[in-house]
Amino acid sequence: MTQKNVLEDITVCDFSWVGAGPMATKYLADFGARVIKVESTTHLDIGRMSVPFKDNIIDPDRSAFFLHSNTSKLSVTLNIRHPKGVDIAKKIIKKSDIVMESFTPGVITKLGFGYDELKKIKPDIIMASSSIYGQTGPKKNFSGFGNAGAAISGHYLMTGWPDRDPVTPGIAYADVVQPLFTVAALLSALDYRNKTGKGQYIDTTQVETMLQFISPAVLDYFTNGRQQTRMGNRSSYASPHGVFPCKGDDRWCAIAVFTEEEWKNLCKTMKEPQWTGDKKFIDLPSRKKNETELERLIGQWTINYELSELITLLQEAGVPSGPVQDASDLVDKDGQLQARQSFVKLSHPVIGECNHPVPPVKLSKSPADVKTSPCLGEHNEYVFTQFLGISDEEYVELLNEGIFE
Amino acid sequence: MLSNYKVLDLTDEKGSLCGKLLGDLGAEIIKVEKPGGDPARRIGPFVNDINDPEKSLHWFAFNCNKKGITLDIEKPEGREIFKKLSSRADIIIESLEPGYMDKLGIGYLDLSSHNPKLIMTSITPFGQTGHLRDRKISDIGILAMSGLMSITGDPDRPPVRMCLDQTYCLGSAHGTIGTLLAVLWLTKNGEGQHVDVSIYEAAVRGNYWEPARWEFLSELIKRAGNRFPRAAAKGQQLWQCKDGYVTFLIPGGTSGAKMMNSFTKWMEETDSAGALKQINWDNLHLSKVSQEELDVWEKLIAAFLVRFTMDELEQAAIKRGIPMARLNKLSDVAADEQLIARKYWEKINTADSKETISYPAFPFLSSEENIRVRSRAPLIGEHNEEIYKNELGFTDEVISSLKKRGII
């Protein structure tokens, strides 16, 4: 591509690890930023040791989990617990626009890279800290992983069936949500620096960002005193609203009816069996009241169809609907994702050719330019000698001293 | 931080968080609604449960920090007014059906020919291209397609969705990012562009683990309640305690070892560690632990945790550096001393100024700018006068004539 990338003159010194931090810097890297991931060979990023591994061989360069959250970055290994390692990290920071970290609050300052310290090295530096619960306040020492954000914000307790324990997807959802806010914060900080010449310190948390995604329920509590709780697949403003069984093993179709027109269309598609004319289902409040029965009746109709056949029928009738898919559908069969190149096949030095996830945002003039993810310390030589200008002799000396570990 | 940008926001519930976040960041957001109001105003919950387009808390939540005008862009005169507004705007965000604005002659190509610096961000279920772009779908359908529902829920029940309309929030937040990237490009190269966000792809990105698991291991994870499919053995991540639940997953890696040493020590203080005492966490690789082994450990942990309250567990976890969190109800969230200390709640007056409502105050903290919710969501057409009269210079007569003819 001859086109220039929007962030190509931006350098990021990235101390972040595991999920939420790396997914934020991945976004910047995919849009052209030079993201230098500062890693440790003795204190490996947990992401590098997360399944799945290529050929099931546990190895820091073989984790596809890591690959998916670290595309387009450079990796160096550096012992930042050694004074010489600290000096080198500071050299990287001096040439950086952004410093990113996601340690337990306080750790980065103890390591010698607190914001006040960084400002001395680079007065207009933009620094972002990503944590579960925040850098200030009485619970700032809280440490945790992805699902803590969903739990503390109330999201976890609101997901699942009303008569069962709450559930959460088999991912850490806050690791999906928080990075978006971190990226938005960093990009607006770059714009602010363009205008004012000033850097800044950014503090994003999983709890506070998750609350932004459930704020109608929060306002409901503050206004009406209502504690919204889990309601399965139902919605307060649509009915039917759920997934309904189709032919085959564990096949389901999502159907959501918001308007009376959509309800009529659904009834027509079902060929208007007698029950659809019943007063019990005449409008949204009635359908909400008799929802269990409604769901049972619709399920008795949907079970006669293959999933794809049912989707076609419902789409022709203008009823909002979609199939419950699994990962094999996404990777192998989804023509929409393929047409829009949502995954691109790229070659990784150890893993070989495989899918790399692309940001879901298409910019007509400055599109993402995704590259593969780095092996551990793959760019040591480039970053330390070429980018920082450390002489070959000194590089070897530092190498022998174990500074690049 | 974005105080010099003017944004026209034509989104419905699918994209309204995008403009709200840009508004939080300081941009001037003008929500452009149909005369009579955006249909998203019909989404509850409502203040005092009164079903009224001016009382939707859903609308309040995602449209604070915006001004509001009404305009019928389907009428030719309305379109001309929209063109005037867009020539003075930096950014337009919309979530209309793909091709709809083009058909009205106010698509990106039309508008950018007059205002080449214009940024237009479109947030739609499948994006502007591809064979599914016109599919009728809602949040639950998109979540279903993303693969996230197939891994959420109990094995003996249907797949279940996450609460509220998460995919719309994901699409909107990506919309904010796309818009900001376009702003940076504009600063650098002087040209605007079209930003095309697919809510579906945003949700698929949320499913960040399973596509790789399928590609590399040909393995499909089925929904398994609260068992986390991290390794061969699935770990428990929901635990009952005296007065509720906490979440905790036995952590791996070197930092996880430190945490588990601390956890075991805590259990040992009351002689509850049992078989956990024998484990050398420092040399343990979780991916090699069998389900049977893990089940034994987790039984001990369950019996231990159930003796405590959420408060007790939270305090112990913070003190001992254990990654454990309580499952809060909204009343717990509202009373949380951490959020209060960080001034996370901001009281905003209702339109009649009789009451205040507490809002989540900020998306993140910045050392430079006080990024906060500043104003409630607009009433229908609340800023018509300000925008049409003061900004576009329409006379009172013109405005009242436009009103009469249902254009504004």
Side-chain angles (χ1 to χ4, degrees):
Chain A
M1 199 177 296
T2 51
Q3 218 147 12
K4 287 196 288 180
N5 294 318
V6 53
L7 299 177
E8 70 170 8
D9 47 3
I10 301 300
T11 299
V12 181
C13 176
D14 185 7
F15 294 111
S16 74
W17 68 326
V18 200
M23 288 199 213
T25 47
K26 168 196 183 328
Y27 221 122
L28 304 178
D30 289 343
F31 278 94
R34 179 198 282 122
V35 175
I36 301 169
K37 189 173 169 82
V38 180
E39 303 192 68
S40 156
T41 55
T42 53
H43 219 75
L44 277 179
D45 183 344
I46 292 169
R48 285 199 179 272
M49 295 314 263
S50 297
V51 290
F53 295 98
K54 167 77 173 168
D55 301 327
N56 256 326
I57 298 167
I58 298 172
D59 179 287
D61 293 335
R62 288 176 168 265
S63 164
F65 170 89
F66 179 86
L67 178 141
H68 275 237
S69 36
N70 289 283
T71 54
S72 313
K73 299 179 189 175
L74 309 176
S75 164
V76 297
T77 49
L78 185 63
N79 180 6
I80 54 171
R81 283 168 176 83
H82 190 288
K84 285 189 182 170
V86 171
D87 285 346
I88 292 170
K90 286 183 174 170
K91 279 187 185 146
I92 298 175
I93 291 163
K94 201 172 169 57
K95 297 187 84 172
S96 295
D97 303 278
I98 291 169
V99 174
M100 174 81 204
E101 66 94 12
S102 65
F103 297 113
T104 299
V107 169
I108 195 78
T109 307
K110 268 188 227 147
L111 288 170
F113 305 104
Y115 178 59
D116 289 335
E117 191 60 31
L118 300 195
K119 266 196 301 190
K120 288 184 208 152
I121 307 168
K122 181 106 193 307
D124 66 350
I125 197 78
I126 296 164
M127 178 176 179
S129 291
S130 163
S131 65
I132 306 275
Y133 226 167
Q135 305 295 319
T136 59
K139 298 184 192 171
K140 67 177 179 194
N141 292 327
F142 179 91
S143 66
F145 291 113
N147 276 315
I152 298 167
S153 66
H155 180 277
Y156 201 147
L157 206 65
M158 291 199 291
T159 295
W161 302 101
D163 60 336
R164 292 268 180 97
D165 283 345
V167 292
T168 172
I171 54 158
Y173 183 52
D175 280 353
V176 175
V177 173
Q178 185 190 15
L180 305 179
F181 288 86
T182 309
V183 175
L186 289 171
L187 296 176
S188 49
L190 285 173
D191 183 61
Y192 184 80
R193 195 193 60 175
N194 283 345
K195 289 183 299 209
T196 63
K198 290 183 188 167
Q200 63 182 285
Y201 178 65
I202 289 159
D203 171 4
T204 72
T205 78
Q206 299 215 330
V207 176
E208 288 156 359
T209 56
M210 285 290 285
L211 281 164
Q212 293 281 340
F213 272 32
I214 58 167
S215 57
V218 175
L219 298 198
D220 195 18
Y221 174 74
F222 281 120
T223 311
N224 297 321
R226 183 184 294 119
Q227 308 248 24
Q228 288 194 18
T229 183
R230 47 199 178 276
M231 50 204 287
N233 283 325
R234 291 179 183 174
S235 158
S236 58
Y237 66 103
S239 178
H241 189 280
V243 297
F244 297 88
C246 293
K247 271 188 193 167
D249 177 30
D250 205 30
R251 302 300 273 167
W252 304 87
C253 177
I255 299 175
V257 167
F258 296 87
T259 64
E260 290 316 303
E261 194 194 340
E262 287 164 1
W263 169 243
K264 280 188 195 119
N265 292 340
L266 175 61
C267 293
K268 258 186 243 157
T269 314
M270 293 190 288
K271 304 230 168 59
E272 298 179 324
Q274 212 175 359
W275 64 264
T276 56
D278 196 313
K279 293 209 290 293
K280 282 194 286 196
F281 308 120
I282 194 157
D283 54 16
L284 178 63
S286 314
R287 289 196 293 276
K288 287 298 297 176
K289 220 161 98 192
N290 302 295
E291 203 155 18
T292 304
E293 191 182 349
L294 176 71
E295 287 167 354
R296 184 174 52 80
L297 290 163
I298 294 174
Q300 285 169 2
W301 172 70
T302 57
I303 191 73
N304 301 306
Y305 294 90
E306 296 287 342
L307 178 52
S308 57
E309 192 186 358
L310 186 64
I311 293 289
T312 307
L313 276 179
L314 291 167
Q315 285 298 318
E316 278 168 4
V319 179
S321 50
V324 172
Q325 303 195 115
D326 61 31
S328 72
D329 296 313
L330 303 180
V331 174
D332 299 340
K333 299 171 204 155
D334 194 306
Q336 180 72 14
L337 296 179
Q338 280 159 17
R340 289 176 58 86
Q341 294 194 296
S342 184
F343 291 101
V344 286
K345 287 243 193 271
L346 298 170
S347 185
H348 179 276
V350 173
I351 297 174
E353 196 183 73
C354 65
N355 284 317
H356 290 60
V358 178
V361 166
K362 296 216 175 304
L363 275 76
S364 59
K365 297 205 176 115
S366 56
D369 179 14
V370 177
K371 300 179 192 76
T372 196
S373 81
C375 293
L376 185 63
E378 182 181 342
H379 302 94
N380 279 4
E381 215 172 308
Y382 164 74
V383 170
F384 295 134
T385 62
Q386 288 188 46
F387 179 65
L388 292 186
I390 294 175
S391 71
D392 288 352
E393 291 111 47
E394 200 187 342
Y395 179 76
V396 172
E397 213 171 283
L398 290 164
L399 189 69
N400 292 335
E401 276 184 77
I403 305 302
F404 303 134
E405 282 174 9
Chain B
M1 291 200 268
L2 302 175
S3 56
N4 53 332
Y5 299 107
K6 189 176 276 194
V7 181
L8 297 177
D9 179 353
L10 279 77
T11 63
D12 60 10
E13 68 273 19
K14 294 192 290 295
S16 53
L17 179 62
C18 174
K20 188 262 181 198
L21 293 175
L22 292 171
D24 289 349
L25 293 169
E28 181 189 1
I29 317 291
I30 302 167
K31 187 99 184 183
V32 182
E33 300 180 65
K34 287 180 187 175
D38 177 358
R41 290 175 177 273
R42 289 202 293 263
I43 301 174
F46 298 92
V47 179
N48 300 323
D49 290 329
I50 297 165
N51 192 331
D52 174 334
E54 297 293 20
K55 293 195 185 298
S56 159
L57 293 164
H58 181 280
W59 170 267
F60 287 7
F62 295 135
N63 292 283
C64 48
N65 281 349
K66 299 181 188 178
K67 293 175 182 172
I69 62 172
T70 51
L71 183 63
D72 188 350
I73 54 170
E74 293 202 337
K75 294 207 170 90
E77 223 177 325
R79 280 204 289 275
E80 289 314 308
I81 295 172
F82 183 75
K83 284 182 190 164
K84 265 190 202 137
L85 285 168
S86 75
S87 67
R88 307 159 59 93
D90 303 290
I91 297 159
I92 293 175
I93 47 184
E94 60 97 11
S95 61
L96 296 152
E97 286 158 31
Y100 176 86
M101 291 185 80
D102 296 316
K103 227 165 44 196
L104 294 179
I106 49 173
Y108 172 70
L109 290 177
D110 303 296
L111 298 178
S112 63
S113 67
H114 300 286
N115 180 4
K117 289 178 184 270
L118 183 72
I119 293 164
M120 186 187 273
T121 299
S122 299
I123 303 165
T124 56
F126 294 98
Q128 303 294 306
T129 58
H131 73 292
L132 293 185
R133 74 168 207 164
D134 300 318
R135 180 178 270 193
K136 269 205 104 175
I137 198 159
S138 68
D139 170 77
I140 191 173
I142 296 170
L143 200 68
M145 288 184 69
S146 74
L148 281 171
M149 281 185 75
S150 76
I151 56 165
T152 310
D154 297 322
D156 61 335
R157 292 257 177 111
V160 71
R161 80 161 178 160
M162 288 190 280
C163 64
L164 306 172
D165 296 334
Q166 294 302 312
T167 68
Y168 295 164
C169 289
L170 290 171
S172 292
H174 281 286
T176 305
I177 291 173
T179 306
L180 290 167
L181 286 166
V183 162
L184 292 171
W185 182 258
L186 172 69
T187 308
K188 219 156 102 167
N189 295 44
E191 55 179 13
Q193 59 181 315
H194 190 194
V195 179
D196 171 12
V197 182
S198 158
I199 301 171
Y200 173 45
E201 287 166 52
V204 169
R205 284 295 87 91
N207 187 1
Y208 59 80
W209 217 323
E210 301 316 315
R213 201 193 307 271
W214 171 250
E215 185 180 355
F216 287 89
L217 305 178
S218 302
E219 208 175 282
L220 290 176
I221 294 297
K222 288 277 175 195
R223 55 197 179 278
N226 287 292
R227 296 216 146 257
F228 197 74
R230 180 181 47 190
K234 296 183 178 71
Q236 181 66 33
Q237 58 173 341
L238 185 78
W239 310 80
Q240 195 104 42
C241 61
K242 249 189 197 165
D243 57 347
Y245 305 92
V246 289
T247 182
F248 166 74
L249 181 67
I250 294 180
T254 43
S255 61
K258 208 168 122 199
M259 291 163 173
M260 282 317 293
N261 283 325
S262 173
F263 196 109
T264 315
K265 200 173 144 227
W266 177 24
M267 290 175 76
E268 273 181 61
E269 287 168 17
T270 51
D271 229 353
S272 317
L276 294 176
K277 264 191 300 199
Q278 273 92 55
I279 301 168
N280 182 349
W281 297 104
D282 297 311
N283 291 330
L284 182 87
H285 205 294
L286 269 177
S287 61
K288 291 176 184 157
V289 173
S290 73
Q291 190 70 55
E292 290 73 32
E293 275 177 289
L294 194 63
D295 287 348
V296 171
W297 305 348
E298 289 181 344
K299 234 185 203 154
L300 289 164
I301 293 172
F304 178 70
L305 294 178
V306 78
R307 292 190 231 147
F308 299 96
T309 63
M310 286 200 288
D311 281 342
E312 289 164 349
L313 290 178
E314 181 184 45
Q315 280 161 21
I318 292 176
K319 197 178 105 195
R320 295 167 188 270
I322 294 163
M324 181 183 293
R326 48 191 290 159
L327 264 66
N328 280 331
K329 295 194 290 286
L330 290 167
S331 55
D332 301 323
V333 174
D336 180 49
E337 54 172 354
Q338 175 74 356
L339 291 168
I340 292 168
R342 286 168 61 84
K343 299 191 169 57
Y344 188 68
W345 307 112
E346 183 75 43
K347 286 194 164 124
I348 299 282
N349 277 329
T350 53
D352 57 14
S353 296
K354 281 186 190 149
E355 285 167 276
T356 60
I357 300 176
S358 291
Y359 284 69
F362 54 83
F364 60 89
L365 288 175
S366 151
S367 63
E368 272 298 303
E369 293 258 303
N370 193 13
I371 294 159
R372 288 183 89 73
V373 54
R374 300 176 303 279
S375 61
R376 62 169 170 77
L379 300 170
I380 299 169
E382 184 173 349
H383 301 92
N384 278 355
E385 181 129 336
E386 179 187 327
I387 302 296
Y388 292 128
K389 198 167 156 181
N390 304 349
E391 296 227 356
L392 294 188
F394 290 1
T395 61
D396 290 339
E397 292 76 45
V398 170
I399 291 176
S400 85
S401 154
L402 287 168
K403 261 185 204 158
K404 240 180 259 162
R405 286 174 294 134
I407 290 162
I408 68 175

